[in-house]
Amino acid sequence: MRRLTLLLLFMLAFAGCKDNSKSAKAKKVAVIVSTLNNPWFVFLAQTASAQAKSLGYETKIFDSQNNTATETDNFENAIAAGYGAILFNPTDANGSVVNVNKAKAAGVAVFCMDREVNSATGPTSQILSDSYSGCVNLGKYFVKQMRKKGKYVEILGIVADNNTWNRSKGFHSVVDYYPGLQMVAQQSADFDRNKGLEVMESILQAHPDIDGVFCGNDAMAMGAYQALAAAGKANKVKVMGFDGAEDAIQGIKDGKILATAMQFPKVMAQTAANYADEYFKGKRDFPKKIQVGVEMVTGKNVSDYIAYGKKN
């Protein structure tokens, strides 16, 4: 009888530990972002973390430094530390899939923010910007401002990221119909401001007579503008970006940047955190992919916007 009592006590204690472990896991949300070197991603990460905290979860932000190996380490650390959900901004549409699948196998839900992974089954849900449509509008505005003629340069983001090509395809779906517009160079600067500066400096040596620059994000646009200003061409070349970052909004007000496409990182980050909360509470039927609309910002309507969003 004494043995039976001890066995029951042991089983109850074990069950208690198991429940506590599950409870602890359910109270932790990891935020893994591609890089914290870009203020836009800092805003995305901090907003996601703040929303998860407001819902009662312990959070931690991991910086993948635009490196899939670092991203893998971040996933392994988050899984080992008992995080129950990951709010994720991937570094590579294909290369990040293995990390998402690893989390799924460990019972950890993954909600992608802004950037997608090429997997229909790995992420619990993906909340993305409608980059293609946003760049269709930028393309139309670019054609109008260039008066349908001139030489231009395209600076691409990370070539392994779907946003890079969705933006490029949206822009070219309009601009390529105008034979008077000639693209003289197309080069990647990895969504990085310093690389945008270096790439623009290099292109200017071969093509000093350009009239326009289309950049896949605002950081590269600001870097390109810096190179143009140093070369004395800032007033002659029209520069466009994408994101709605603080310096780009100010750049439009100052007449440095022609236009940008405003994304809404707050919407994406808060939606991802809210989804994680609903997941912990038992919901499972999430939309596999959501596209958040973007809005074009120019000198005419820039007063309606602030960094990373629209004025209330």
Side-chain angles (χ1 to χ4, degrees):
M1 185 63 186
R2 188 168 179 271
R3 275 189 182 179
L4 180 60
T5 302
L6 287 171
L7 179 62
L8 286 172
L9 287 172
F10 175 78
M11 291 175 67
L12 286 171
F14 179 74
C17 290
K18 202 172 177 182
D19 287 341
N20 287 338
S21 173
K22 189 175 180 180
S23 175
K25 184 176 180 179
K27 287 295 181 184
K28 296 172 69 173
V29 175
V31 180
I32 300 178
V33 293
S34 57
T35 177
L36 291 178
N37 286 335
N38 184 327
W40 196 91
F41 291 114
V42 173
F43 182 83
L44 182 78
Q46 290 180 341
T47 304
S49 176
Q51 182 67 8
K53 281 181 181 175
S54 74
L55 294 167
Y57 298 97
E58 176 186 336
T59 71
K60 181 179 178 180
I61 296 174
F62 296 81
D63 179 5
S64 299
Q65 300 170 23
N66 275 334
N67 186 313
T68 51
T70 304
E71 182 182 279
T72 297
D73 291 341
N74 289 338
F75 264 76
E76 290 176 350
N77 290 335
I79 293 169
Y83 286 87
I86 296 174
L87 312 184
F88 181 40
N89 175 250
T91 59
D92 188 307
N94 290 314
S96 298
V97 172
V98 64
N99 293 326
V100 174
N101 288 339
K102 191 180 297 180
K104 183 179 182 182
V108 178
V110 177
F111 301 90
C112 293
M113 305 179 290
D114 175 49
R115 292 180 178 175
E116 67 180 327
V117 294
N118 292 327
S119 170
T121 57
T124 305
S125 186
Q126 304 199 69
I127 304 104
L128 315 168
S129 278
D130 189 354
S131 292
Y132 183 91
S133 297
C135 285
V136 168
N137 291 330
L138 285 179
K140 291 177 181 175
Y141 191 67
F142 186 75
V143 169
K144 186 177 179 181
Q145 294 299 313
M146 294 283 284
R147 298 182 178 177
K148 304 179 183 178
K149 63 181 180 181
K151 296 179 180 179
Y152 74 93
V153 168
E154 181 180 11
I155 300 182
L156 300 164
I158 296 172
V159 295
D161 176 47
N162 288 0
N163 279 344
T164 293
W165 297 111
N166 288 337
R167 292 170 192 178
S168 180
K169 289 174 183 174
F171 179 75
H172 284 283
S173 73
V174 176
V175 176
D176 288 358
Y177 282 97
Y178 296 87
L181 288 168
Q182 180 188 3
M183 185 172 72
V184 296
Q186 183 189 54
Q187 195 169 331
S188 169
D190 293 339
F191 290 135
D192 183 87
R193 180 170 181 155
N194 291 333
K195 289 183 180 178
L197 167 64
E198 294 169 2
V199 165
M200 194 70 253
E201 286 176 337
S202 175
I203 291 174
L204 281 174
Q205 292 178 15
H207 304 284
D209 56 344
I210 60 170
D211 305 294
V213 182
F214 171 66
C215 301
N217 80 344
D218 286 341
M220 297 188 298
M222 295 309 298
Y225 175 82
Q226 192 175 342
L228 290 164
K233 299 179 182 298
N235 294 330
K236 302 175 184 175
V237 181
K238 295 176 171 59
V239 180
M240 299 177 79
F242 190 104
D243 270 348
E246 184 172 11
D247 48 6
I249 295 298
Q250 188 59 47
I252 292 173
K253 292 177 180 176
D254 296 339
K256 298 177 179 177
I257 303 296
L258 180 65
T260 187
M262 175 61 73
Q263 298 192 82
F264 294 93
K266 185 176 180 180
V267 173
M268 290 185 280
Q270 290 185 339
T271 301
N274 291 341
Y275 276 9
D277 179 51
E278 292 171 7
Y279 180 86
F280 286 133
K281 292 174 179 173
K283 182 176 177 178
R284 292 294 182 268
D285 58 335
F286 294 93
K288 296 306 290 184
K289 193 177 291 186
I290 292 176
Q291 288 198 316
V292 178
V294 302
E295 299 177 7
M296 188 169 67
V297 184
T298 69
K300 288 185 178 179
N301 66 356
V302 68
S303 60
D304 295 335
Y305 294 87
I306 56 175
Y308 315 118
K310 200 167 188 176
K311 290 180 180 176
N312 294 325

